[in-house]
Amino acid sequence: MGKLTYLPLIICLWGLSACGVTEPLRVTPGPLGAPASHDELARHYAPVIRQGAISDQDYITAANFDGDWVGNNNWENQPTGDLSAYVYYSVIESESHWFLFYSLFHPRDYTYEDCHTSGGCHENDLESIQLTVEKNGTSFGKPKALETLAHNAIYLYIFDNSVGGNFLDVTGVATLEGDHPVVYVEALGHGIYGHRGTGSLIDPILFRGGVVIYRLGEEAKAPQGVDDEHVSYQLAPIYPTLWTRRDDVGDGRTFDGPFVYRGELLPKAIDGDDFSKDKANTPWGYYQTTGEVLTRGDWFLDPAKALLYHARFNGEFSTIYIFNPYLVDLGLLPENNLNG
Ligand SMILES: [Ca+2]
Ligand SMILES: [Ca+2]
Ligand SMILES: [Ca+2]
Ligand SMILES: [Ca+2]
């Protein structure tokens, strides 16, 4: 139990709100007003997560749920670690849009069959969604596209007909609970979809599993069981947690699998060694749906470029960033890009 005592301190380092000392939970400015802060936007649109669950291996948690930032002990520590719910997030802003990225971490990606013979299991799992919100003069703008990652594909969901398919076809219409997009996460492999029945989404009933429903709340809670429909999660920013560890690379470190992004070295995976090596991609390490225009990493690091390739947007769609600290850190944008 000793190692778990580190967790509250680590969580506090993620953001003061986790320590219960800052911003109010709800911010409700009028329809026309100053733009919301990036944290307020992330909270406003924080997804409702319908998580298919067969076992507690399907619970979302923090990447340091076991009290350390070592990647390749997470499979081993899943049974004893703290499975309180966290969702990672990041906000990038262009002249015309906000790009809200949310990532769900699971210590294990597993199969219904025995992992020793199925060939389908690996240590760590990070699947993600990206919500594109148009800035329209109101505090929180207007959501325009929801993209979800499931294994080898990104799926595109729209909110109205002002957005259409481009490299990606439109899979369906996104659903909202209040202003929160609802996403459906498979048990076992944890692919994310914008509505039930997309792609290979496994009906949990088929597996006699349940559905855990997570919503943003004041506390990070662990589900009471695989059919707990009222579990609150906390947001954890990607920048000061995962991104600032991007140079911690190698066996026994946080990440592994270096690749070159526009001349800069980044790790494409969380370090892992059970059943398969380094299989869980980082937010900036996804290679899915790049076509001939995008490269590994663009979906997270250069979302305006990625979205403009994936989808067609009516109206203004700028690829000039007001806030993109990742490209600034990589020396790919000037520092005055941080004025947003
Ligand atoms: Ca660990
Ligand atoms: Ca391991
Ligand atoms: Ca997975
Ligand atoms: Ca490794």
Side-chain angles (χ1 to χ4, degrees):
M1 284 304 288
K3 65 190 170 194
L4 291 181
T5 59
Y6 292 112
L7 204 60
L9 173 64
I10 292 161
I11 290 162
C12 280
L13 293 174
W14 285 347
L16 291 174
S17 62
C19 307
V21 295
T22 53
E23 69 216 272
L25 186 64
R26 281 263 158 207
V27 182
T28 52
L32 283 169
S37 73
H38 291 162
D39 285 354
E40 287 166 352
L41 282 161
R43 298 179 72 80
H44 185 83
Y45 290 112
V48 172
I49 298 157
R50 298 182 62 96
Q51 169 73 63
I54 296 167
S55 73
D56 67 7
Q57 298 167 89
D58 297 307
Y59 297 170
I60 58 171
T61 187
N64 61 337
F65 73 107
D66 57 354
D68 64 47
W69 285 99
V70 174
N72 71 356
N73 61 6
N74 292 341
W75 183 283
E76 294 84 339
N77 290 340
Q78 190 279 336
T80 54
D82 182 345
L83 300 180
S84 299
Y86 287 88
V87 171
Y88 289 94
Y89 78 97
S90 171
V91 181
I92 287 175
E93 181 176 358
S94 74
E95 290 178 325
S96 59
H97 290 78
W98 290 295
F99 301 94
L100 280 65
F101 202 92
Y102 299 93
S103 298
L104 307 183
F105 174 79
H106 299 80
R108 296 180 177 183
D109 182 310
Y110 68 114
T111 55
Y112 199 60
E113 302 77 28
D114 185 340
C115 281
H116 292 90
T117 51
S118 71
C121 302
H122 58 80
E123 186 165 29
N124 300 312
D125 200 15
L126 197 76
E127 310 258 1
S128 298
I129 67 172
Q130 181 146 237
L131 181 72
T132 300
V133 178
E134 182 183 82
K135 294 154 72 174
N136 65 356
T138 64
S139 296
F140 292 102
K142 191 165 172 37
K144 286 291 171 179
L146 173 68
E147 292 190 297
T148 71
L149 177 74
H151 315 298
N152 294 319
I154 293 172
Y155 294 90
L156 171 64
Y157 302 86
I158 61 174
F159 293 86
D160 59 56
N161 288 332
S162 66
V163 179
N166 194 12
F167 182 69
L168 294 181
D169 293 328
V170 172
T171 296
V173 176
T175 55
L176 293 170
E177 183 180 297
D179 282 334
H180 302 275
V182 181
V183 296
Y184 296 80
V185 186
E186 294 169 324
L188 307 167
H190 308 138
I192 310 176
Y193 303 91
H195 58 60
R196 203 190 305 270
T198 308
S200 60
L201 184 63
I202 294 167
D203 182 350
I205 294 164
L206 196 66
F207 288 90
R208 297 192 172 87
V211 176
V212 172
I213 304 180
Y214 292 101
R215 295 177 181 84
L216 178 66
E218 292 184 60
E219 284 183 87
K221 304 283 268 189
Q224 302 283 317
V226 296
D227 52 6
D228 188 343
E229 298 189 348
H230 301 282
V231 185
S232 67
Y233 70 78
Q234 286 260 291
L235 288 171
I238 288 173
Y239 188 91
T241 58
L242 302 174
W243 177 252
T244 55
R245 291 195 148 70
R246 65 190 180 282
D247 294 328
D248 189 23
V249 177
D251 291 340
R253 313 291 287 266
T254 303
F255 300 116
D256 209 350
F259 75 104
V260 176
Y261 181 78
R262 300 185 192 176
E264 303 298 318
L265 216 52
L266 284 173
K268 68 184 177 191
I270 303 171
D271 187 45
D273 55 17
D274 289 81
F275 305 104
S276 197
K277 284 185 185 299
D278 309 331
K279 291 292 282 186
N281 283 135
T282 51
W284 54 85
Y286 294 124
Y287 63 92
Q288 291 87 344
T289 324
T290 50
E292 294 180 355
V293 170
L294 306 176
T295 61
R296 180 188 285 272
D298 278 341
W299 190 44
F300 176 81
L301 295 167
D302 195 350
K305 181 181 181 183
L307 265 292
L308 207 48
Y309 179 59
H310 286 166
R312 171 190 55 74
F313 292 84
N314 289 353
E316 187 200 355
F317 194 100
S318 172
T319 55
I320 297 172
Y321 291 111
I322 290 173
F323 185 79
N324 186 333
Y326 308 97
L327 291 185
V328 171
D329 284 355
L330 294 174
L332 299 170
L333 275 182
E335 277 206 39
N336 62 12
N337 187 258
L338 284 172
N339 289 336

